[in-house]
């Protein structure tokens, strides 16, 4: 609403216009005027008054038609309209109110009554404006809330995708901006761990699928907890085989040490599981290979099905060392062994001729932590 309130006086009798303008201006209102229906419509669009005092009998357009057109214009805000006319028949009052008028005053105008009507209509106008402003603020708030909810849903979906590859801690760190987009192909030195169950092939050939699935569920659940605890990146499950690597997507200062600690804890957990399996007649053991080197890492797959993969000689070496490991044995490459020198007891197993490698590879058996 304007300050002071703006009132449009519409009457084809200039004397009436002058009287109303003088009295209302004396009360502090801002007055604009029109002398016929068409001028009234133009004045409303131009001045957007807070109240219209509208004569009924006018040339060109009468007050009833002006009232109808103003109410039909959806671009206009709510503007109270008081019909001021010499027509006092009840059917005229009904016609004016049905056309959209809010009040009806008969001429000659009682100026005390007019003043009271004007104040009453302006209070209603002020309330309408307040409601309109609050509705607009509410709509804006709802829009902002919808955007925030959509953003949070997007982040949750992204977090869910990332948790397929990374530990929850790492996934949340990535979303917080602690790491570059890990799905983009990149090259980095990592420590890779391969592990599987010794005797699994024979076990799978001689037991029912339900028993095989029970064993795998127990095995995956136990190993999964250890992987998450050490913040390793699980590349994949493949039956009894698993590949985990460290130093990606978030670089860590001690990837080889983390890998060794994780595998030693896995071996301990597997000790309990294999004892349980032996009671059920299942002869299964645990073997692991650890290697360190550069790999190309990123998302591999197609739209709708993506995996997080590491490709390079280091992954092949870890897999071959795992294949050579005896039950309970953890074989580690020479490069990885130098990274953990001083806090892990190792024993050399000599040079191994591994499939896919032209030269023999030096390897060591991880015995225990020394610190």
């Amino acid at each position: 609403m304007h300050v002071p309130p703006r009132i449009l006086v519409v009457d084809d009798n200039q004397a009436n216009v002058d009287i109303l303008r003088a009295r209302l201006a004396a009360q502090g209102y801002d007055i604009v005027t029109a002398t016929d229906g068409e001028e009234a419509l133009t004045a409303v669009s131009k001045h957007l008054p807070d109240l219209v005092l509208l004569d009924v009998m006018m040339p060109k357009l009468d007050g009833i038609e002006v009232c109808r057109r103003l109410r039909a214009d959806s671009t206009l805000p709510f503007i109270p309209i008081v019909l001021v006319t010499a027509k006092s028949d009840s059917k005229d009052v009904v016609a004016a109110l049905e056309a959209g008028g809010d009040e009806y005053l008969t001429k000659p105008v009682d100026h005390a009554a007019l003043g009271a009507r004007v104040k009453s209509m302006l209070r209603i106008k002020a309330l309408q404006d307040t409601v309109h402003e609050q509705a607009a603020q509410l709509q804006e708030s709802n829009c902002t809330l919808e955007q925030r909810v959509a953003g949070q849903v997007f982040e949750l979906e992204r977090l869910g995708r990332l948790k397929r590859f990374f530990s929850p801690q790492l996934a949340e760190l990535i979303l917080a901006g602690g790491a570059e987009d890990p799905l983009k192909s990149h090259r980095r030195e990592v420590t890779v761990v391969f592990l599987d169950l010794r005797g699994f092939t024979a076990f799978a050939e001689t037991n029912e699928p339900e028993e095989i699935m029970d064993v795998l569920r127990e095995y995956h659940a136990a190993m999964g907890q250890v992987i998450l605890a050490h913040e390793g990146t699980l590349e994949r499950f493949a039956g009894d085989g698993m590949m985990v690597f460290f130093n990606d997507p978030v670089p860590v200062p001690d990837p080889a040490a983390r890998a060794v600690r994780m595998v030693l804890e896995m071996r301990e957990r597997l000790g309990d599981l294999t004892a349980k399996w032996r009671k059920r007649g299942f002869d299964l053991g645990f073997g692991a290979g650890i290697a360190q080197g550069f790999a190309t890492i990123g998302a591999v797959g197609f739209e709708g099905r993506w995996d997080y993969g590491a490709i390079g000689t280091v992954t092949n070496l870890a897999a071959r060392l795992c294949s050579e490991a005896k039950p309970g044995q953890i074989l580690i490459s020479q490069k990885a062994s130098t990274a953990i020198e001083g806090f892990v007891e190792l024993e050399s197993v000599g040079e191994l001729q591994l499939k896919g490698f032209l030269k023999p590879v030096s390897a060591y058996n991880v015995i225990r932590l020394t610190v």
Side-chain angles (χ1 to χ4, degrees):
M1 199 158 79
H2 300 89
V3 180
R6 181 174 296 161
I7 299 174
L8 171 64
V9 176
V10 186
D11 199 310
D12 60 335
N13 186 318
Q14 189 61 48
N16 290 338
V17 170
D18 293 340
I19 291 171
L20 288 174
R21 175 164 51 193
R23 289 184 178 276
L24 294 171
Q27 296 177 39
Y29 299 117
D30 176 21
I31 307 301
V32 291
T33 63
T35 55
D36 61 49
E38 291 182 350
E39 275 189 28
L41 293 175
T42 302
V44 168
S45 298
K46 180 179 180 181
H47 300 292
L48 291 176
D50 301 308
L51 173 65
V52 177
L53 299 179
L54 183 61
D55 187 18
V56 173
M57 293 180 291
M58 295 185 294
K60 300 181 182 177
L61 286 177
D62 64 24
I64 299 297
E65 182 59 25
V66 171
C67 200
R68 286 197 189 97
R69 294 192 185 187
L70 290 178
R71 291 299 183 233
D73 190 342
S74 60
T75 64
L76 293 175
F78 170 73
I79 302 173
I81 300 173
V82 178
L83 279 301
V84 184
T85 178
K87 301 175 73 172
S88 58
D89 192 281
S90 61
K91 65 180 181 184
D92 297 318
V93 176
V94 171
L97 297 179
E98 287 184 344
D102 299 289
E103 267 290 1
Y104 196 93
L105 281 175
T106 57
K107 297 177 181 176
V109 174
D110 181 326
H111 289 285
L114 174 63
R117 295 288 197 287
V118 167
K119 290 180 181 177
S120 174
M121 288 295 101
L122 290 176
R123 282 197 298 271
I124 293 173
K125 167 64 172 170
L127 289 173
Q128 284 282 348
D129 286 354
T130 300
V131 170
H132 182 74
E133 289 172 6
Q134 291 176 341
Q137 291 171 357
L138 182 60
Q139 185 176 10
E140 183 179 353
S141 298
N142 286 339
C143 183
T144 302
L145 182 61
E146 287 176 359
Q147 291 174 348
R148 290 177 58 189
V149 169
Q152 289 172 348
V153 168
F154 174 78
E155 290 301 311
L156 286 174
E157 290 176 348
R158 189 178 175 213
L159 180 62
R161 290 196 298 271
L162 292 174
K163 280 184 175 178
R164 293 178 55 204
F165 307 123
F166 314 126
S167 67
Q169 302 94 316
L170 255 58
E172 289 168 5
L173 182 62
I174 292 165
L175 286 184
E180 295 180 357
D181 184 358
L183 302 184
K184 184 179 179 182
S185 180
H186 55 283
R187 188 165 174 79
R188 180 169 292 167
E189 187 173 27
V190 292
T191 301
V192 180
V193 177
F194 253 94
L195 61 143
D196 62 15
L197 294 175
R198 297 288 102 97
F200 184 80
T201 301
F203 162 73
E205 289 175 350
T206 56
N207 288 278
E208 296 297 330
E210 291 80 4
E211 294 174 313
I212 298 169
M213 292 305 295
D214 284 345
V215 165
L216 285 177
R217 272 193 288 270
E218 292 173 342
Y219 169 62
H220 290 159
M223 297 303 98
Q225 291 175 358
V226 179
I227 294 168
L228 292 178
H230 290 269
E231 299 183 348
T233 300
L234 175 63
E235 196 222 31
R236 64 174 179 267
F237 288 109
D240 63 317
M242 295 185 196
M243 176 178 156
V244 182
F245 54 86
F246 292 83
N247 204 39
D248 186 87
V250 177
V252 294
D254 54 350
R258 287 174 184 243
V260 169
R261 289 195 185 96
M262 181 192 74
V263 179
L264 286 172
E265 185 176 342
M266 286 176 164
R267 186 167 64 182
E268 185 178 346
R269 293 277 190 100
L270 258 297
D272 297 334
L273 270 182
T274 53
K276 175 183 171 183
W277 291 336
R278 274 196 294 275
K279 291 179 181 177
R280 295 162 61 184
F282 308 147
D283 185 17
L284 295 167
F286 166 80
I290 303 173
Q292 183 162 322
F294 281 89
T296 300
I297 304 168
V300 292
F302 54 88
E303 194 60 39
R305 182 66 174 90
W306 293 98
D307 281 322
Y308 193 65
I311 300 171
T313 302
V314 62
T315 61
N316 295 333
L317 179 56
R320 297 304 179 200
L321 289 173
C322 178
S323 298
E324 292 293 324
K326 296 180 175 60
Q329 199 172 39
I330 302 168
L331 295 183
I332 188 169
S333 70
Q334 185 170 26
K335 184 174 183 179
S337 71
T338 58
I340 57 172
E341 196 171 20
F343 79 97
V344 176
E345 181 181 346
L346 303 172
E347 66 176 1
S348 174
V349 295
E351 293 189 331
L352 303 176
Q353 188 64 56
L354 302 176
K355 184 180 179 182
F357 290 81
L358 295 177
K359 297 180 180 179
V361 174
S362 297
Y364 300 84
N365 181 30
V366 176
I367 306 299
R368 64 178 70 85
L369 294 175
T370 57
V371 293

